[in-house]
Amino acid sequence: MLIHSHRRVPRIVLSFLLCVLLGVPVALAQSADGEPPTDDLTKRVHALTGAGQFGEVVLTLEGALAEDPHRALLYQPLVKNYAYLGLFDHAERRTRDLYFENDHPALNPEDLRGGGHCRLALIHTMQGERKEALAHVDSMLALADPDQIYPGAPTCASYFEASWGEHDRAAERYEQILGATSGIVRADFLPWAVHVHREAGNHERADELMAEIVALRQALEAGQLDDAIAQASEEAGGGSTQQETHKWMAQVHVLQGNEEEAVASLRRAYEAGALMRYHWWKAINPVLRPLHDTPAFEELLADMEADIAPMRARTVERL
């Protein structure tokens, strides 16, 4: 049984609920070194990735890095977009080029290697390679500052520990993360935290976190934040808010045993532009595992792969 300490979850307030709907920053939770877009190029890359234009991102970033190989903010989106295309050999090669063999004039080599190990854990997990993925998690953690939780190596580790069934480790990790985050970030981690606590046998804690999720769902379904949702969507550039809300709701449906509704929510997220979630849904997210043998989920993945395959072929031709 996990030993932990935590404060009783306070009543959820509207400002927190609004944060749940601001979908774009959730992407930052999926890396140890993510940063928001800060200039025209990174903003464009951010928008193209969200729109599922992975090949265009790869070609744009390869061109930019050919001109200036030390633009470190471009490393992560380049590697991830190769991976989103299913070009795993390219993703791994560029990770090693940029994170392990890069004599960067300003960055700490250990920080670069730590980020590289996070990227490689992602790439190997997407391909179903448990041993290699967890080895990179361990190497990343050995280099990391244990007090830097989010964003940081413990955040990256939590995804892959949870995905590969290291439930006790992941449960401890999510307690750290939930204590270090709030708003949109905390909300996005809640379904994963409930899942690993259930699997680890920590049912009381899982029930507490599930009650927090239920309160969020009720507020969303009651339409209490319609004006705020519209404003959040406008500020996020449109589309992405819907993607993240549908994705989050799909996980809630799974946790509540409503598989049909879960797949329907994922389908809505996909139709809103969530193509970048293909490998996460297929190979990484453990909350969605109960859907894997359902025909509707298999059909959804097939539709997503059908969108990605021609883009992958065109990108390879143009590299």
Side-chain angles (χ1 to χ4, degrees):
M1 180 68 69
L2 177 71
I3 304 299
H4 59 79
S5 63
H6 59 275
R7 294 173 296 147
R8 181 172 297 277
V9 177
R11 180 174 295 275
I12 297 172
V13 297
L14 290 181
S15 60
F16 174 68
L17 291 170
L18 175 59
C19 288
V20 176
L21 304 171
L22 296 173
V24 172
V26 175
L28 306 185
Q30 298 171 354
S31 77
D33 55 17
E35 295 186 37
T38 56
D39 59 27
D40 289 343
L41 176 59
T42 52
K43 288 178 181 177
R44 180 168 180 262
V45 165
H46 184 79
L48 287 171
T49 302
Q53 298 298 315
F54 313 136
E56 191 65 29
V57 173
V58 162
L59 296 169
T60 298
L61 292 180
E62 288 289 18
L65 287 170
E67 296 179 2
D68 181 1
H70 294 143
R71 296 190 66 177
L73 280 177
L74 307 185
Y75 298 171
Q76 178 195 167
L78 175 64
V79 169
K80 282 191 170 184
N81 277 274
Y82 270 127
Y84 295 153
L85 286 166
L87 295 174
F88 298 119
D89 289 344
H90 290 74
E92 183 168 355
R93 175 177 57 80
R94 292 303 273 141
T95 298
R96 296 192 182 281
D97 290 344
L98 297 169
Y99 288 91
F100 295 92
E101 299 171 9
N102 182 354
D103 186 20
H104 198 285
L107 297 181
N108 183 326
E110 288 193 356
D111 291 340
L112 267 179
R113 289 198 298 274
H117 285 301
C118 182
R119 303 289 84 73
L120 291 171
L122 173 71
I123 293 163
H124 286 297
T125 299
M126 284 179 169
Q127 297 176 89
E129 297 168 350
R130 173 192 174 94
K131 180 180 178 181
E132 293 86 347
L134 292 179
H136 283 294
V137 168
D138 290 340
S139 295
M140 173 188 64
L141 292 170
L143 295 170
D145 177 358
D147 295 326
Q148 180 62 42
I149 305 300
Y150 178 87
T155 298
C156 178
S158 73
Y159 286 108
F160 308 117
E161 290 168 342
S163 184
W164 289 113
E166 298 290 331
H167 298 124
D168 288 329
R169 286 173 59 180
E172 293 278 8
R173 203 81 67 195
Y174 281 111
E175 285 303 305
Q176 291 181 300
I177 294 167
L178 293 177
T181 56
S182 61
I184 175 59
V185 178
R186 178 184 170 84
D188 199 54
F189 281 115
L190 283 173
W192 290 62
V194 170
H195 168 80
V196 296
H197 276 299
R198 284 179 176 177
E199 294 297 320
N202 308 318
H203 299 296
E204 182 179 354
R205 181 58 171 153
D207 289 346
E208 291 176 354
L209 296 174
M210 194 66 208
E212 189 173 346
I213 288 174
V214 168
L216 286 167
R217 177 183 176 179
Q218 290 172 345
L220 291 172
E221 292 179 338
Q224 296 174 2
L225 300 174
D226 288 349
D227 291 342
I229 291 170
Q231 180 181 350
S233 179
E234 181 179 353
E235 291 174 354
S240 59
T241 298
Q242 292 185 3
Q243 292 175 29
E244 294 300 331
T245 301
H246 292 316
K247 181 206 73 172
W248 189 83
M249 282 297 300
Q251 295 176 109
V252 176
H253 286 309
V254 173
L255 293 172
Q256 294 182 318
N258 301 319
E259 295 180 2
E260 184 176 347
E261 292 89 342
V263 177
S265 287
L266 292 177
R267 171 69 67 176
R268 286 190 288 271
Y270 161 60
E271 291 172 352
L275 192 60
M276 65 181 288
R277 303 297 180 189
Y278 171 71
H279 290 287
W280 280 87
W281 297 350
K282 178 183 178 182
I284 301 175
N285 189 331
V287 181
L288 302 180
R289 295 272 162 79
L291 305 179
H292 280 203
D293 294 328
T294 63
F297 184 69
E298 292 176 353
E299 181 181 352
L300 171 61
L301 292 180
D303 288 345
M304 297 175 82
E305 170 59 21
D307 288 344
I308 294 170
M311 191 184 338
R312 178 168 58 240
R314 290 194 301 270
T315 303
V316 171
E317 290 177 358
R318 295 173 65 188
L319 282 172

